[in-house]
């Protein structure tokens, strides 16, 4: 069941980057569409959990963890991602999102006050070399400041994703169900993004066409409720790094979809950069990836 859930999650997350891009092209503004997506998804999960009595309303002690997780996991990670996808291909956003595990490892070393090994330093170096290669075509062809800024914003968002991943595991160890944490963190993050949209954007629902509404429905039901539900379920069943390894698989699916569906002409150097990023992430986390697929993986705790 763990492997089945894992591959389903990889497939879902690999398509969400394209769905976000389609929604933005169809007339959605980034913060409103992201906020509406996660607020509605969180609301549906919470209603389901309350009706089926799988969890109740949060206690005062749980409010801070839910707020912190929601603001980082959903608010910052997806707020930056949606904004950036206005300017870069969805496959670039997927590949840059693969830097998340790098930040997970760095954060773990910081928390545990442990030294990063030479192998991990090599992986870290490869990861950032890959980012340079991925973004270099914009410099060699035409300098595009907004394009580079969008790439940097995605990477910054992944640092918040890493914190939320490590922190979520600690919250789950306190007895909070994965369904409850997922529902409330999406609700909080979605509400925060809607507040940002109120001040920063002027969304016009009448300007959104049919494909935009379909992409939103797909992202709410499949991307958020099912995909993120699987992510937190796997987080509870395994360890913090195992669910995050979807970032090794999904970017390639996103790249294929970009070329086939969007007709994007991806520079060979950018494809090489994506491969280098994923190689660096694997090198840096290979011991965790191997343990994640073994019975010993359940013993890996952050």
């Amino acid at each position: 069941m763990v492997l089945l859930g894992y591959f389903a999650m990889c497939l879902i997350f690999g398509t969400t980057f394209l769905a976000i891009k389609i929604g933005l092209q169809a007339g959605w503004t980034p913060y409103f569409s992201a906020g509406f997506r996660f607020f509605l998804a969180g609301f549906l999960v919470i209603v389901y959990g309350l009706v089926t009595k799988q969890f109740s309303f949060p206690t005062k002690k749980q409010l801070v963890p839910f707020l912190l997780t929601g603001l980082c996991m959903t608010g910052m990670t997806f707020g930056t991602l949606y904004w950036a996808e206005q300017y870069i291909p969805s496959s670039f956003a997927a590949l840059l999102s693969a830097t998340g595990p790098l930040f997970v490892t760095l954060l773990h070393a910081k928390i545990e006050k442990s030294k990063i090994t030479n192998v991990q330093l090599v992986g870290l170096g490869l990861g950032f070399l890959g980012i340079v290669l991925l973004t270099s075509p914009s410099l060699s062809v035409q300098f595009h400041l907004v394009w580079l800024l969008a790439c940097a914003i995605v990477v910054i968002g992944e640092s918040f994703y890493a914190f939320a991943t490590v922190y979520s595991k600690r919250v789950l160890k306190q007895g909070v169900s994965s369904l409850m944490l997922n529902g409330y963190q999406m609700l909080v993050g979605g509400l925060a993004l809607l507040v940002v949209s109120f001040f920063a954007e002027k969304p016009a629902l009448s300007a959104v066409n049919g494909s935009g509404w379909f992409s939103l429905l797909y992202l709410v039901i499949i991307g958020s409720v099912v995909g993120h539900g699987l992510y937190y379920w796997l987080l509870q069943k395994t360890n913090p790094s195992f669910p995050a390894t979807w970032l090794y698989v999904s970017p390639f699916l996103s790249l294929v979809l970009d070329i086939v569906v969007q007709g994007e002409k991806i520079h060979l150097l950018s494809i090489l950069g994506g491969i280098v990023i994923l190689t660096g992430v694997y090198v840096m986390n290979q011991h965790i990836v191997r343990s994640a697929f073994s019975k010993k993986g359940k013993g890996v705790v952050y």
Side-chain angles (χ1 to χ4, degrees):
M1 289 300 296
V2 167
L3 287 177
L4 182 62
Y6 173 75
F7 287 119
M9 179 187 68
C10 289
L11 179 63
I12 290 170
F13 284 166
T15 59
T16 53
F17 292 94
L18 178 59
I20 291 170
K21 187 74 172 182
I22 291 173
L24 293 172
Q25 292 174 338
W28 287 116
T29 55
Y31 299 127
F32 181 83
S33 55
F36 187 72
R37 166 193 173 183
F38 285 104
F39 182 83
L40 181 57
F43 177 78
L44 292 175
V45 170
I46 291 170
V47 169
Y48 172 78
L50 293 175
V51 170
T52 57
K53 298 182 179 180
Q54 295 191 46
F55 57 78
S56 59
F57 291 103
T59 63
K60 290 182 179 179
K61 185 178 180 181
Q62 293 171 335
L63 285 177
V64 172
F66 289 168
L67 285 170
L68 192 56
T69 306
L71 291 174
C72 293
M73 178 66 79
T74 292
M76 290 301 299
T77 303
F78 287 93
T80 54
L81 177 65
Y82 270 70
W83 181 86
E85 281 210 41
Q86 296 176 104
Y87 308 105
I88 60 176
S90 57
S91 56
F92 278 33
L95 288 165
L96 289 168
S97 294
T99 57
L102 295 177
F103 290 109
V104 170
T105 301
L106 289 173
L107 183 60
H108 171 243
K110 178 69 174 179
I111 292 174
E112 298 297 325
K113 296 181 179 179
S114 58
K115 292 183 178 180
I116 298 177
T117 65
N118 290 333
V119 173
Q120 289 177 323
L121 283 174
V122 171
L124 185 61
L126 285 173
F128 286 103
L129 173 62
I131 294 173
V132 173
L133 292 172
L134 184 73
T135 58
S136 61
S138 71
L139 296 175
S140 60
V141 179
Q142 180 182 1
F143 183 74
H144 197 322
L145 181 60
V146 176
W147 197 92
L148 288 174
L149 179 61
C151 291
I153 288 295
V154 174
V155 175
I156 291 172
E158 287 307 305
S159 65
F160 287 92
Y161 161 85
F163 169 79
T165 296
V166 175
Y167 184 71
S168 293
K169 183 64 178 180
R170 295 193 172 190
V171 175
L172 292 171
K173 286 178 65 179
Q174 296 172 5
V176 177
S177 73
S178 59
L179 186 69
M180 183 180 189
L181 178 58
N182 187 36
Y184 283 111
Q185 73 88 10
M186 285 195 297
L187 187 75
V188 169
L191 182 60
L193 288 168
L194 288 175
V195 171
V196 173
S197 175
F198 178 79
F199 290 102
E201 300 173 332
K202 293 182 179 179
L205 301 185
S206 59
V208 181
N209 60 33
S211 61
W213 285 102
F214 177 78
S215 71
L216 180 64
L217 181 65
Y218 179 83
L219 288 167
V220 169
I221 303 299
I222 306 299
S224 296
V225 176
V226 179
H228 286 265
L230 285 170
Y231 179 86
Y232 276 99
W233 180 76
L234 288 167
L235 192 62
Q236 188 173 45
K237 293 293 183 180
T238 57
N239 59 65
S241 292
F242 176 58
T245 58
W246 70 268
L247 291 164
Y248 304 123
V249 180
S250 299
F252 289 110
L253 175 59
S254 181
L255 183 63
V256 171
L257 290 173
D258 248 6
I259 296 173
V260 175
V261 179
Q262 291 287 90
E264 292 278 3
K265 294 182 179 179
I266 308 299
H267 197 283
L268 182 61
L269 199 59
S270 293
I271 296 176
L272 177 62
I275 295 173
V276 173
I277 288 174
L278 297 179
T279 302
V281 172
Y282 174 77
V283 169
M284 195 171 185
N285 295 278
Q286 57 181 308
H287 64 293
I288 299 174
V289 175
R290 289 171 182 171
S291 67
F293 286 94
S294 68
K295 292 183 180 179
K296 295 180 180 180
K298 293 186 178 182
V300 181
V301 178
Y302 284 82

